[in-house]
Amino acid sequence: MTELLELSAARAAELVRAGEVSAGELFALYRDRARADELNAFLWVADGTPDPPAADAPLGGVPLAVKDLFCVEGVPSMAASRILEGYRPPYTATAVERLVSAGAPVLGKTNMDEFAMGSSNENSGFGPVRNPWDRDRVPGGSSGGSAAAVAAGLAPWAIGTDTGGSIRQPASLCGIVGMKPTYGAVSRYGMIAFASSLDQCGPLTRDVTDAALLLKHMVGRDRCDSTSLEFPEPIQLPTEERLDGVRFGVPPELTGEGVEAGVREVFDRTVALVEELGGTVEEIALPHSPHGIAAYYVLAPAEASANLARYDGVRYGPRARNGDLLSLYEETRANGFGAEVKRRIMLGTYALSSGYYEAYYGRAQRVRTKIADDFRNAFQRVDLVLTPTSPTVAFKLGERVHDPLAMYLSDYCTVPMPLAGIPAISIPGGLSEGLPVGIQVAGPAFSENRILTAAFALEQAIGFERRPFDDV
């Protein structure tokens, strides 16, 4: 049974379709591992065994871990928040529905930072997730449960959401692959909203091929999401192991000051590897990227303050028992929301308030436009942008809890891409101090195939060795 754990999801799907592996056996293996989870990666695990997949199901019955931010009909879907405790939605998110239809049954719901607000997975209403490489360290966030589950062999693959880096950063810290697609490429219908103009669903997997396979069955227009778009071409499974003629840009703004020496060393090796594989590397300018964190932490909380207004104790979850309506609202939200969610609601409400809207929100929107313009200019010279994913390796649990600014800077390299609406992937590049370092490859809108091809070539050349699952 344990040899099945070593199979990539794509390979497992092939064997199930060929009749060499039972889908039920595979599901039971991962279900039992998820139930024995010691990382607090899962908030709910499925009972029983799902019906066998169709003989031609492209995802072959390979079970899927789903971030708790996605609604799944009849299944607890709480965004890891006490204010939604026990909520079981009457419908399923489009992204999940498409993957289930393609043959990936839901294995369980994964832990996360409450309402996707965080970079460490310490903000969950149900306790922090631990990093499988070192249980005293964070897995990253907000999709830390999904990343830890895949890295620990508790799930063959998973989906998460990325608002400012919440797929790529935990993928980096856990030594797996994580991809944020172009904004609008994947439907947000049924994703519990944090910041609607930034949130995007994507895969977390063991390798680039699995990421491409999962993404292939997620993208596309959805009539339930007016921001979703028809993907211009089919997602292809990458096979090219060379980078001949591919032009990479390295921005000093995202690769210099603040990047740990060990992370920089792994990044420099990757840059050299690009050239060995036939690619070219040149310096590019993204002059407004250093302002990305400041702009993001105005825009995202502003949208969050509006989106989270609906959680008032009347429509969802538990409520404070008080006859006065205003007191009911106040007590329910005070008891139901965690500290980070309250902080961001307050920040966002202030930024949108009369007299401050233009000074904060309006200016942040202009910075966002400048960041998008920087990328457009860069992509006239290069095909892809290369940076570290996170400026540091996984940090200790509790190390940044009382320093929100240090926590926010964890997303320094990842925030500019969602502000510009462009896709990016993180792949493992090597180790620093025995912990994974992620390498980020970004491209223009709808360049997912180009990104996946480049990431695959780098992945094959790097030959990153994940920890044996028996050690987790």
Side-chain angles (χ1 to χ4, degrees), residues 8 10 33 95 105 111 125 136 140 159 182 279 285 358 370 380 396 416 453:
S8 69
R33 286 183 64 81
N111 203 349
D136 291 329
I159 57 172
T182 303
E358 184 55 34
K370 291 290 187 182
Q380 291 177 6
K396 294 277 189 179
T453 297

Side-chain angles (χ1 to χ4, degrees), residues 12 14 308 448 451 459:
E14 289 176 0
L308 271 62
E448 277 81 348
I451 291 172
E459 176 186 68

